[in-house]
Amino acid sequence: MSVILRVSLLLLCNVAVIASSDVNQTTEQEIPLTSEEETRRVRRLEAEMEILRRSVTELKAAGPCAKQQSSLEADALSVAQEVRGLRHHVQSLRMYSELSAIRTEVRSLRSKLPDDVTEEVELLTAVPVADERPQDGICSSAPSGSVYTRWGNDQCPSDAHLVYSGVIGGSHLTHEGAASNALCLPLNPVFEDYVLPGAYTHVYGAEYEVSPLPSHDLEPKCSVCHIARAATVMVPATNSCHTGWTMEYSGILMAGHHTHKAATEFVCMDAALEGMIGTKDTRDGKVFYFTVSACGSLPCPPYVNAKVLSCVVCSK
């Protein structure tokens, strides 16, 4: 074994013992060391690690076996990790020292105040407990109630709060890779000044396809409603809620046409079929058709072939 290799292995052993001893002392001592002592320890380890790195470089140049190189490099990496850990520990000790000094100063100042003033200061500086309920107007991580979209109507029921109203939009009926869901788009959009990328998708307006009804080709309205009740559900093929549930609104089950390329979803469109005034032009985009029952796999009775399906949104 060459002299360089022996020196390197000896240094490696010493560094490993020092790092292990230092870490054990840090974890076992009830009172942490001062930041100056920790800084000196880090500097000592850094110096020894630098010597070890140079030895590894010399070993590579001398051409020893790959196994010895790999072992020394792994040990050098381990020592480097120890040094990084000690650096973080030094930073923590400095913060701990500063915090202790601040607490000592606060206690000293409080001892000089009258008793009644001290009690008032403690009340003002008290930290609220975690389960304290937020005041009105402050967002909570666990809001009460639930939210639903009322399709085909820009108003909410009397016992619901209107979050916002708008117009329905979605992907174009001819786009195979389109998103299937409908969107309730607000009428006061806010645009960021983003750089337009090379590829993107689109959101189009929607239309009722309900000829010969008066709402045909109108752009349907929508509203987002918040209620105090915790759960909401859309029930297809009925116009009433089950016992114990409150009806939010009832309407007609609608979706895109089965011959169109774009996938769609079933939505419960309000029976009023409200639309934007003056939007009777045929523009397509996202379109909504009545949904009818089709006997076969669907049991008939109780279902009847080619009957328009109703729907209802219920809450509890």
Side-chain angles (χ1 to χ4, degrees), residues 90-286:
V90 168
Q91 293 176 355
S92 299
L93 286 175
R94 288 173 179 168
M95 293 178 62
Y96 175 81
S97 178
E98 292 176 1
L99 182 59
S100 297
I102 293 173
R103 286 175 174 170
T104 301
E105 185 177 0
V106 169
R107 283 195 295 267
S108 176
L109 291 173
R110 281 182 176 177
S111 64
K112 299 176 182 179
L113 294 173
D115 293 339
D116 55 343
V117 177
T118 302
E119 292 177 359
E120 184 177 353
V121 170
E122 290 177 349
L123 289 174
L124 291 174
T125 58
V127 179
V129 294
D131 59 350
E132 210 171 6
R133 290 186 177 274
Q135 298 177 358
D136 293 339
I138 301 178
C139 295
S140 170
S141 59
S144 60
S146 58
V147 176
Y148 67 89
T149 300
R150 187 177 189 180
W151 306 104
N153 197 313
D154 63 353
Q155 299 294 323
C156 294
S158 58
D159 61 345
H161 171 70
L162 176 67
V163 181
Y164 73 91
S165 60
V167 61
I168 300 177
S171 297
H172 198 277
L173 60 93
T174 63
H175 294 175
E176 295 184 10
S180 62
N181 61 306
L183 298 172
C184 186
L185 299 170
L187 295 177
N188 56 340
V190 177
F191 297 98
E192 297 284 353
D193 191 19
Y194 294 120
V195 176
L196 190 65
Y200 42 84
T201 190
H202 294 86
V203 171
Y204 295 86
E207 291 181 352
Y208 295 120
E209 293 294 334
V210 292
S211 179
L213 299 181
S215 297
H216 180 65
D217 280 343
L218 285 179
E219 295 177 1
K221 296 180 180 180
C222 59
S223 56
V224 175
C225 308
H226 174 260
I227 54 175
R229 291 174 286 277
T232 57
V233 61
M234 188 273 281
V235 185
T238 186
N239 59 4
S240 61
C241 297
H242 293 83
T243 302
W245 290 77
T246 301
M247 184 175 74
E248 296 299 321
Y249 74 95
S250 62
I252 304 164
L253 194 66
M254 301 186 76
H257 200 272
H258 64 276
T259 61
H260 295 161
K261 294 181 179 180
T264 61
E265 61 178 345
F266 291 107
V267 300
C268 186
M269 197 71 67
D270 192 281
L273 295 180
E274 289 189 357
M276 304 295 291
I277 297 175
T279 59
K280 293 286 288 185
D281 296 337
T282 301
R283 302 173 183 175
D284 291 328
K286 189 171 185 66

